[in-house]
Amino acid sequence: MMAEISLGQQDAGGTRSARPGDLVRIHLEETPASGFRWQVEEFDQNVLEPAGDRFLPPPGVERGGRGRRELRFSVVGAGRGRVRLTLRRPWQGVEAAARRYETTIEAAPGS
């Protein structure tokens, strides 16, 4: 049975357990009108596969406000997989990141 693992800013630097077939959702605060957006900089392709990316505005707000970026990853293999994200403008390099986020998924072999 697939589990959904929800992570946020409070989980930065930590390690979470998972199994192949699980879905990892990372939710981070973002204000798109500022030009800054969460970007995937690194992930372990043997353990994780990108499964989507969307902006979630607060209820009742359509444009221009602060909301959350949801980045999804499917767990595709056993092992220890790191995800590294940066909050930056797409046209600027990683060194110009306003914030950074990193977490590790420890995926046990499936049953």
Side-chain angles (χ1 to χ4, degrees):
M1 182 165 73
M2 177 186 89
E4 287 194 17
I5 299 162
S6 185
L7 303 174
Q9 189 60 50
Q10 71 278 6
D11 301 299
T15 300
R16 288 297 284 267
S17 297
R19 291 194 175 279
D22 288 353
L23 181 67
V24 177
R25 294 175 185 265
I26 302 173
H27 294 101
L28 299 168
E29 294 290 319
E30 180 182 286
T31 307
S34 69
F36 286 87
R37 182 176 168 181
W38 284 101
Q39 310 277 325
V40 177
E41 299 301 339
E42 178 185 327
F43 66 94
D44 186 326
Q45 296 178 26
N46 295 317
V47 178
L48 301 165
E49 178 178 284
D53 173 349
R54 65 182 175 162
F55 179 74
L56 303 166
V61 176
E62 291 185 28
R63 294 180 176 251
R66 180 178 206 125
R68 292 180 307 148
R69 174 71 48 190
E70 179 188 74
L71 298 127
R72 297 181 303 280
F73 294 87
S74 295
V75 180
V76 296
R80 188 173 177 87
R82 180 172 54 188
V83 176
R84 205 179 280 173
L85 310 171
T86 56
L87 180 65
R88 63 182 177 85
R89 291 182 171 119
W91 60 88
Q92 295 179 320
V94 175
E95 62 282 347
R99 289 179 39 207
R100 298 172 190 278
Y101 179 91
E102 184 176 312
T103 194
T104 301
I105 303 300
E106 185 77 46
S111 49

